[in-house]
Amino acid sequence: MGLQIRFLGPWEVTADGEPVKLAGLRRVGVLARLALSAGRTVPAERILADVWDQGTVTTAGKQLHIVVSKLRGLLAPYQDDEIITTVPGGYQLNLAREGVDAHLFTLMAGEARAARARGEIAAADELFRRALALWRGNPLEGMTGAWAQAACARLEEERLTALEDHIDLRLESGDHHGVVPVLTAHAEAYPLRERPRAQLMLAMYRASRPCEALEVYQETRRVMVGELGVEPGAALRRMQQAVLRRDPALDLASPARRATLTRAALPNELPADTRAFTARATEIAWLRGTLTGAVPGPPSVAAIHGAGGAGKSALAVHAAHGVAERFADGVLYVDLRAATAGRTPLTPYEALSRLLRSLGVDGAAVPSSLDEAAARYRSLTSTRELLVVLDDALDAGQVRRLIPAGPRCAVVVTSRQVMDSLDSTSRLDLSGLADADATALLARTVDPARVAAEPEAAQRIVRLCGGLPLALRISAARLAARPDRRLSSLAEQLADDTRRLDVLEHADLAIRTSIAAGLQHLRGEPDAGHVFHLLGLMGTGTHTAAATSAVIGWPEARAEAALTRLLDARLLERAGSRRYRMPDLIRLYAREQAAHHTPELVRATAARQAFHYHLTRTHDPIVHRRGPAERAMARQAATLPRRLAVH
């Protein structure tokens, strides 16, 4: 795929499908200006005039040189030859024109017109669709210079012309019913553009709606006379007269001569299923029943919630692949990015925009407001049979507007939080795998013979991974990468609390990343973050609001609120009535983070207070259940004052 520059919508640079971060208005402006003329020289004076506002800054030339140097350094890792070369008088972007979406659009639209002229109707239709699908919104979005506005106007005119050329092709091929809603939206967006109005009249006439076709003409005339003081053009007047007299020339050619378009490919956006998927038979059966056993009424919604790394996404994708053929209009998938480290969750509008484009709405025709986009989505899905997978959702507010309207639609939502405020939703709490299933996952990924040869070591790995599918996948990946490695060796490494999180990291998989993603939404909640760190230090099996308040020195209600928030973020789990437990892997991460965020005196004092609280108030002194790290912390705490408020 290589380096790609996209500006037919929000600015985007990718390398092999992964985003390349590009900051700074002038860096973006210079790269965009060069990309508009990819493969051709752009004079330095032209760049300065466009990007530096007529070059009024005396140091602009030097600044341009610095910006180009920075761009070269940023993009060099993604292309073998020099991406931006200095040529006499200016600079040149050495990127194939197909690597810039605007040039690719122009190329594909031209190929579509050539294919149509040769009578290759199906090929022309496919090329037009692919070209128009490149548009994701307004071109050069966010750039306000005169050069950008001129380029935007030119590109927009190219898009409209291509869209109307494609509609002509579809009308010639008998797709008049299909183009009516497209043309209706297009004509409303551009009320003074006569060509789509004439096309809409023809489509309605062929769809046996001549009265509505004449209403289109009258509305067009009213707008043009009222706003411009002119009558409609000759082509539109001829169309009106032809409709009035039912001119046979408007009829479609005889069926034998009609060109047949290939049916537009149904969306099937699911990520690839994993071959190592294991167990979860009960959960899969529940999902299948929920998604395909729909009764008349609102669409079926299945919400899967659970801790990070529990396999929610893998389960949703696996089950969706199994039922996809039951949905005649395809499968849509959106990663809502609630727990993607370093990335912000999609807004409802951003998610709706993606869904609308997947349903065939031209990028520039996506409504500009959330309410209008949601209404358009409801309208498009009201009569369809779609499966929609909303993966990694933040909360019910993020997904509520993404539920389709059609009663034959179904939705799968995965989230760390419980979707308890979504109406008509069936919910599944996904926990870790049972020991037997976890061992089977390990064997399937590594080698059944290796696992069978060391059953005790395999069981130990499973226990130290807490049955968490993500931790098991990482362990299995490490073993698969080293066929000569014994399972007992990995088990010994995992048994060391100080190294376990390091061991559970391989390639792009890491337990730390999964846990950190759950914490990123607590940054504005200092109480929850503070309690998270201190619970990692306490090392107790379970926690209560009373014990936490006693250790920290807070009112019990404040401690309870922080614990509840951690429970919602799946950083704690219930262990009985008003009791909470922090899973071992999360506890290790919390203790590790406490070392960075909590002063040493506070850490040791919290450990001492926890020790004394449990020693005096429970019949199960925690000292007997502590590991080496916790016992060392207790010894350190014993040298400190008995009481120190923890803030």
Side-chain angles (χ1 to χ4, degrees), residues 44 93 126 159 195 208 255 326 328 364 369 405 469 481 535 554 582 641:
L93 180 69
E126 177 65 17
R159 182 188 72 86
R195 184 183 178 191
S208 301
R326 303 281 294 273
S369 74
L535 293 185
W554 288 352
M582 181 174 277

Side-chain angles (χ1 to χ4, degrees), residues 32 58 335 457 476 525 569 574:
T58 56
D335 179 359
E525 303 178 53
R574 292 199 180 277

Side-chain angles (χ1 to χ4, degrees), residues 97-115:
R97 293 176 70 81
E98 292 84 352
V100 180
D101 61 355
H103 298 310
L104 179 59
F105 166 77
T106 301
L107 176 65
M108 293 177 68
E111 290 177 350
R113 294 183 182 102

Side-chain angles (χ1 to χ4, degrees), residues 338-339 416 512-525 528-530 532-533 565-566 569 571 586 589-590 593 597:
R416 297 194 182 192
R512 280 192 184 92
T513 303
S514 176
I515 300 172
L519 274 174
Q520 68 182 359
H521 302 299
L522 300 180
R523 289 174 183 165
E525 303 178 53
H530 188 57
F532 176 77
H533 295 145
R565 187 65 189 92
L566 291 173
L571 297 169
I586 297 178
Y589 181 81
Q593 290 298 299
H597 298 286

Side-chain angles (χ1 to χ4, degrees), residues 63-74:
Q63 291 179 21
L64 173 58
H65 179 75
I66 293 172
V67 167
V68 170
S69 178
K70 294 289 186 182
L71 286 172
R72 285 170 176 160
L74 180 69

